[in-house]
Amino acid sequence: MIAQPPPSPKRWLTKASPDSTQQQAAIEALTQSLNISSALAALLVQRGVHTFDEARTFFRPEMGHLHDPFAMKDMDRAVERLQQAMHPERREKILIYGDYDVDGTTSVALVYGFLKNYHSAIDYYIPDRYKEGYGISRQGIEWAAENGFSLIIALDCGIKSVERIAEAKTLGVDFIICDHHRPGSELPDAAAVLDPKREDCSYPYKELSGCGVGFKLLQAFCMRAGIALEQLYPCLDLVAVSIASDIVPLTGENRVLAYYGLKYLNSAPRTGLKALIKIAGFSRELDITNLVFGLGPRINAAGRIQHAKAAVELLLAESEDEADEFAMAINKHNNSRREFDSSMTEQALAMIRESETLTNAKSTVLFDASWHKGVIGIVASRCIEHFHRPTIILTQSNDKAAGSARSVPGFDVYEAIEECADLLEQFGGHTFAAGMTMPVNNINAFRQKFEQVVSRKIKEEHLTPLVEIDLALDFSEITDKLVRIVKQMGPFGPHNMQPVFTTDDVYLVGQPIVMKEKHLKMSVRQGRTGHTVTAIGFGFANVADYLQPGKPFSICYHVEQNFFNGNVSLQLMLKDVKY
């Protein structure tokens, strides 16, 4: 006898249908002008695309759609200071300083790799994650001063390093800050502070990655120096990797930058990324998902396990032999990272399950002095997969507790941490991810206060995993044309997610197949006489126990093309099943 199926642990939320008279008129107009189905037109209207011209801009991003970099506060000052340093009569030594994550290392490779073509007195510096920690370090500033550097360009960090940058000034070292994190109440006293999130910055797009801000600096430099922008555009492969890995919105300028960055990655990637693509096993055209789960973790692994300078060396490699050697080393770091990640995740989940207080809490804050600092952010994300709530994982580093926070959709973890600032030595980050340092003795007080803040602020629905559905779709509407046009809506990512469809009255055809004891493959049809479609569910093996021939169920899914043995077919990638 088949067991009674459990309810889905996920909350299905269907986006509001475009139902106003104006929206319906837009759907009809797009259906006619683009010769597409009403379902595709509705998807476009949901994404703010209402006219033929807007659709053309959406489907065909152009570099001309980028904003004027001089619209960013302090850009004039930044370029002036950079050109002053590069002037033949001054030839100041310039240090490119970046964070140790993917956004930071791609930023350094971008700015150093481009500027060294025009200025030889230049070097780069990545702080050691374990010895120096996040942001501008005293050790880094002292190294710069001792080695005669008078200008530091800080990438993906620095916006809250007020004291450090003041210290640097006394040593004769200027800073140009290129950051995208939220500023504190006081800005650093730097030669220029580029951050679109500055309250006094009217730049029209606020969601650039750190590497994106670095790109805008180079764009402005090229415009002022008379360098053809076409010389800069091949560097967009790095910007695309940063956008994907830092999980910034795939809208506006980020969409344009990622669109062209992917084109370069798929047609003429730099030598280092080409080696990384090969060792990651990618043989078909890359998309944002491949960067997030294939390239990003490998680049990150260098800084997590040893030193992030290895990642920059890979990204700057010029010979294939050199790049292959760096890529193999980084891949070994990534394998080590996976082992740490798996072991620590098991320990963290056991700590939650063994404590009634932790199990029933609205937040998770865990500490173990032996945990590897390089993977605590990954472990926080893994914990959220099992206990869906804001999570902070802490370990001991240099006699302090260093932590990494991850959040759930709809909850601003940065604001919650900010309310606990009296217990912290430093913190920084975004809405859904943040880092912090505190005295070890403050951990229990912080855990209690953070739980109080989260309990007060979080809504009950935020504690349940969400599947956001774009449209209900009949299987008869799933055509090659629909799948092809949906693909053109990419690059997909936050605020432009791959469309999720739902279909009711679905029946199993034949027997479901469980693959590798984890995954599900089955043939399904809508109604009792509809045409058959293949559905794949990664991690859905348990669903097979509850499917019964002749009993209808509902599914939500992506539509995709399946490439196998030279053949292309349509398939559904399951997001959830409701019986």
Side-chain angles (χ1 to χ4, degrees), residues 69-324:
F70 289 99
M72 192 176 295
K73 183 77 173 176
D74 273 9
M75 187 62 80
D76 276 309
R77 295 174 59 185
V79 174
E80 182 180 345
R81 182 65 185 90
L82 177 58
Q83 289 189 301
Q84 182 186 67
M86 295 174 71
H87 194 280
E89 293 182 4
R90 294 179 65 108
R91 291 198 77 253
E92 294 180 54
K93 291 183 72 175
I94 302 173
L95 186 66
I96 311 302
Y97 186 112
D99 187 23
Y100 39 67
D101 68 0
V102 180
D103 197 12
T105 52
T106 53
S107 297
V108 169
L110 168 76
V111 177
Y112 171 81
F114 188 78
L115 289 181
K116 73 181 177 66
N117 297 316
Y118 305 95
H119 189 71
S120 59
I122 190 168
D123 204 347
Y124 63 89
Y125 187 98
I126 307 285
D128 186 287
R129 179 189 289 262
Y130 305 105
K131 296 176 182 175
E132 298 171 72
Y134 171 77
I136 310 298
S137 70
R138 178 176 282 115
Q139 184 176 326
I141 290 170
E142 290 175 350
W143 185 89
E146 288 166 5
N147 287 277
F149 291 92
S150 53
L151 177 63
I152 295 177
I153 300 177
L155 298 153
D156 192 36
C157 60
I159 194 64
K160 296 179 82 173
S161 300
V162 176
E163 291 182 14
R164 291 283 177 270
I165 289 169
E167 290 172 13
K169 202 165 188 176
T170 66
L171 297 174
V173 179
D174 276 349
F175 266 86
I176 295 173
I177 304 294
C178 297
D179 207 345
H180 69 132
H181 297 95
R182 294 187 198 180
S185 57
E186 181 184 355
L187 292 176
D189 182 17
V193 178
L194 304 178
D195 188 333
K197 292 190 176 76
R198 283 179 60 167
E199 288 187 4
D200 60 348
C201 180
S202 58
Y203 192 72
Y205 190 70
K206 302 293 186 183
E207 302 299 336
L208 293 167
S209 65
C211 191
V213 178
F215 177 85
K216 298 306 291 189
L217 172 62
L218 294 182
Q219 184 188 12
F221 167 72
C222 288
M223 292 167 66
R224 190 62 60 83
I227 299 168
L229 288 171
E230 286 73 19
Q231 300 293 314
L232 175 62
Y233 292 161
C235 299
L236 286 172
D237 55 357
L238 293 170
V239 182
V241 173
S242 84
I243 287 170
S245 302
D246 223 50
I247 322 294
V248 291
L250 258 294
T251 56
E253 262 190 324
N254 282 343
R255 179 176 166 79
V256 178
L257 296 169
Y259 177 88
Y260 283 98
L262 282 168
K263 280 188 175 295
Y264 282 106
L265 271 171
N266 285 310
S267 60
R270 66 186 54 237
T271 308
L273 286 176
K274 185 178 179 182
L276 207 58
I277 290 165
K278 182 171 67 176
I279 208 162
F282 294 125
S283 56
R284 291 197 299 271
E285 187 175 275
L286 298 174
D287 59 19
I288 291 292
T289 300
N290 300 138
L291 307 190
V292 172
F293 296 105
L295 302 192
R298 285 175 167 82
I299 295 171
N300 247 338
R304 292 186 190 282
I305 305 304
Q306 286 196 331
H307 198 289
K309 191 168 185 178
V312 180
E313 290 171 339
L314 168 68
L315 296 173
L316 293 171
E318 294 183 359
S319 78
E320 289 194 7
D321 288 344
E322 181 185 33
D324 287 342

Side-chain angles (χ1 to χ4, degrees), residues 301-376:
R304 292 186 190 282
I305 305 304
Q306 286 196 331
H307 198 289
K309 191 168 185 178
V312 180
E313 290 171 339
L314 168 68
L315 296 173
L316 293 171
E318 294 183 359
S319 78
E320 289 194 7
D321 288 344
E322 181 185 33
D324 287 342
E325 188 177 327
F326 283 135
M328 286 179 66
I330 278 180
N331 203 51
K332 287 180 181 177
H333 293 327
N334 191 50
N335 291 335
S336 299
R337 186 271 306 168
R338 284 176 173 165
E339 292 174 11
F340 284 126
D341 159 12
S342 178
S343 168
M344 284 169 52
T345 298
E346 288 179 14
Q347 293 174 40
L349 292 174
M351 289 168 71
I352 299 170
R353 290 174 177 138
E354 290 167 8
S355 166
E356 186 176 349
T357 301
L358 288 174
T359 300
N360 296 322
K362 297 288 176 68
S363 68
T364 297
V365 178
L366 303 176
F367 169 76
D368 188 305
S370 69
W371 282 343
H372 197 292
K373 185 182 176 186
V375 295
I376 53 178

Side-chain angles (χ1 to χ4, degrees), residues 37 39 471-483 500-509 522-536 552-559 570-574 576-577:
S37 68
L471 291 175
L473 203 64
D474 288 339
F475 281 178
S476 60
E477 297 177 88
I478 302 174
T479 63
D480 289 324
K481 182 176 182 179
L482 179 133
V483 176
V500 177
F501 303 103
T502 182
T503 303
D504 297 326
D505 197 30
V506 175
Y507 289 83
L508 181 66
V509 177
M522 60 182 177
S523 295
V524 293
R525 68 179 174 222
Q526 188 178 17
R528 295 181 180 276
T529 57
H531 68 280
T532 301
V533 185
T534 299
I536 304 290
F553 52 94
S554 300
I555 58 174
C556 59
Y557 53 90
H558 298 305
V559 292
L570 302 183
Q571 68 181 17
L572 313 182
M573 300 303 296
L574 295 175
D576 200 18
V577 177

